[in-house]
Amino acid sequence: MEIDNRYIRFDWAVKRLLRDKANFAVLEGFVTVLLNEPIQIVEILESEGNQETEDDKFNRVDIKAKDSRGDIIIVEVQLSRELHYLERILYGTAKAITEHIKLGSRYDQVKKVYSISIIYFDMGKGSDYVYHGQTVFTGIHTKDTLTITQKEKDTIRMKTPPEIFPEYFIIRVNEFNDVARTPLEEWLDYLKNGHIKDDTTAPGLMEAREKLRYLSMNDSDRRAYDRHVSAVMVQNDVLNTAKLEGLAEGRAEGRAEGRAEGRAEGRAEGRAEGRAEGRAEGRAEGRAEGKAEVVRIMKANGLDDSQIAKFTGLTLKEIQETF
């Protein structure tokens, strides 16, 4: 990509730029495309993603906004795997609901929440790159869906579940390999490849072409952004390398041990145990070597111990004693 046509990564933009009211149109366009209805953001609310300290989260970047209807929209970018990710987004929606209802208020004041997760790792099985879900009440015997009867117009009525319960969108960025034809696919192309068509008409991307250009940043922001991109690339490269090395070593050791034990105790049992032990040892060694390598590279790139600790999860003591 030509340097004068480079666009800032969305995770960086969400954290640094899209909180500015002048840039709301980018985020509005993204949510509009996803929900398939016009969205107007009126304010950015306090969220964990606002941190700017040494304890700032590397993997998680989130933004919490309120639209013109008063609904809450949570946008979250996750760069690396987290075991209990679904539980965390459930907690995030529950927290948003309770934070925005005053003690003593009626329950009809509960806010609708949309949770949008943009993930750059494999999670579960599925062939699509966008998943959408919500709570549905299904009869365990009849299999029908519980619906709420709507009274005649201008009378008191109960809200239906879709009007109340949170909606979840999970966007699996790495699964997108198609040509960008629709506005949503154009957004996926930007999220994965940093590409925006010159003639795009997708809501939000037109604004992004003007506001998220790499060369439009000042020198300080550009240096910080370059460090961020470098750290992301190093982390992904080291993790992938460690994974491949661990698997290769595991297979090799598994085959060797399997042959030796197979002669003494039977080839079938020996191969099975050898492969299992080899994989375990290979993964452990791969992870250890991977962390050592990423620390070495980060130090070579001028990152100090506190920055390395933030990116790797190691403690300052572990970095100083081991490296």
Side-chain angles (χ1 to χ4, degrees):
M1 184 180 296
E2 298 292 336
I3 191 168
D4 61 351
N5 198 34
R6 286 177 59 189
Y7 297 99
I8 301 167
R9 286 171 56 98
F10 191 68
D11 60 319
W12 178 270
V14 163
K15 190 164 190 175
R16 300 282 184 127
L17 303 177
L18 301 187
R19 300 178 186 281
D20 188 335
K21 192 168 185 177
N23 297 328
F24 279 5
V26 177
L27 192 60
E28 288 172 349
F30 173 59
V31 180
T32 292
V33 168
L34 198 59
L35 271 58
N36 199 29
E37 61 176 298
I39 295 295
Q40 181 181 4
I41 292 174
V42 295
E43 65 176 313
I44 301 298
L45 307 168
E46 288 299 317
S47 70
E48 295 177 44
N50 289 350
Q51 301 174 62
E52 295 291 346
T53 67
E54 289 299 323
D55 297 325
D56 202 355
K57 299 291 191 294
F58 174 63
N59 285 329
R60 185 176 69 211
V61 179
D62 57 13
I63 191 168
K64 186 166 63 174
K66 184 169 71 174
D67 68 12
S68 56
R69 297 178 302 192
D71 296 339
I72 307 300
I73 299 168
I74 299 172
V75 179
E76 185 168 289
V77 181
Q78 181 79 3
L79 297 178
S80 64
R81 182 180 302 277
E82 184 171 321
L83 182 61
H84 301 295
Y85 187 71
L86 289 179
E87 288 87 343
R88 201 189 76 211
I89 62 175
L90 171 62
Y91 171 79
T93 57
K95 186 176 180 183
I97 291 170
T98 56
E99 283 179 344
H100 295 281
I101 184 170
K102 296 179 180 178
L103 186 64
S105 296
R106 300 190 313 272
Y107 288 119
D108 62 356
Q109 300 301 308
V110 166
K111 299 295 183 184
K112 169 85 171 191
V113 175
Y114 294 90
S115 174
I116 303 170
S117 297
I118 304 169
I119 61 174
Y120 287 80
F121 61 91
D122 295 331
M123 186 179 71
K125 295 181 179 180
S127 58
D128 208 332
Y129 46 83
V130 179
Y131 284 85
H132 175 218
Q134 188 179 30
T135 300
V136 176
F137 297 94
T138 303
I140 62 174
H141 299 104
T142 62
K143 307 304 180 185
D144 67 325
T145 301
L146 175 66
T147 59
I148 304 299
T149 302
Q150 182 173 340
K151 302 295 183 182
E152 288 74 19
K153 189 176 181 180
D154 298 328
T155 62
I156 298 175
R157 70 177 184 90
M158 295 176 63
K159 290 182 180 178
T160 63
E163 293 176 288
I164 302 171
F165 287 99
E167 292 186 37
Y168 299 91
F169 291 86
I170 296 179
I171 302 173
R172 306 164 75 207
V173 176
N174 292 345
E175 298 301 314
F176 178 74
N177 292 307
D178 296 333
V179 176
R181 299 183 181 89
T182 68
L184 181 56
E185 289 172 344
E186 288 191 43
W187 263 100
L188 264 294
D189 191 20
Y190 165 55
L191 294 176
K192 182 175 182 178
N193 305 312
H195 176 251
I196 302 177
K197 293 180 178 180
D198 291 338
D199 59 350
T200 184
T201 58
L205 287 182
M206 294 182 290
E207 292 79 8
R209 290 189 70 249
E210 302 301 322
K211 299 177 181 295
L212 303 186
R213 288 186 182 275
Y214 175 79
L215 292 182
S216 67
M217 290 191 290
N218 59 46
D219 289 341
S220 176
D221 284 346
R222 191 179 300 128
R223 286 194 296 270
Y225 176 72
D226 287 342
R227 288 195 299 271
H228 172 77
V229 172
S230 177
V232 170
M233 294 176 65
V234 168
Q235 174 184 264
N236 290 340
D237 184 58
V238 169
L239 291 176
N240 288 336
T241 301
K243 179 180 178 181
L244 292 174
E245 290 178 351
L247 289 173
E249 292 177 15
R251 291 191 186 100
E253 293 180 14
R255 283 193 292 267
E257 293 179 14
R259 292 190 190 98
E261 293 179 9
R263 295 188 186 99
E265 302 176 7
R267 288 185 175 84
E269 293 182 5
R271 288 193 185 98
E273 293 178 7
R275 282 194 292 268
E277 292 177 8
R279 290 191 186 99
E281 292 177 9
R283 291 190 187 101
E285 292 177 8
R287 284 193 293 268
E289 292 176 4
K291 283 196 173 183
E293 178 67 9
V294 74
V295 170
R296 184 187 69 75
I297 294 173
M298 286 183 172
K299 280 183 174 289
N301 280 274
L303 275 70
D304 59 33
D305 289 350
S306 62
Q307 292 172 312
I308 294 173
K310 178 176 65 174
F311 294 151
T312 64
L314 296 171
T315 65
L316 291 175
K317 185 178 180 181
E318 288 173 330
I319 295 171
Q320 292 162 357
E321 288 182 351
T322 308
F323 307 100

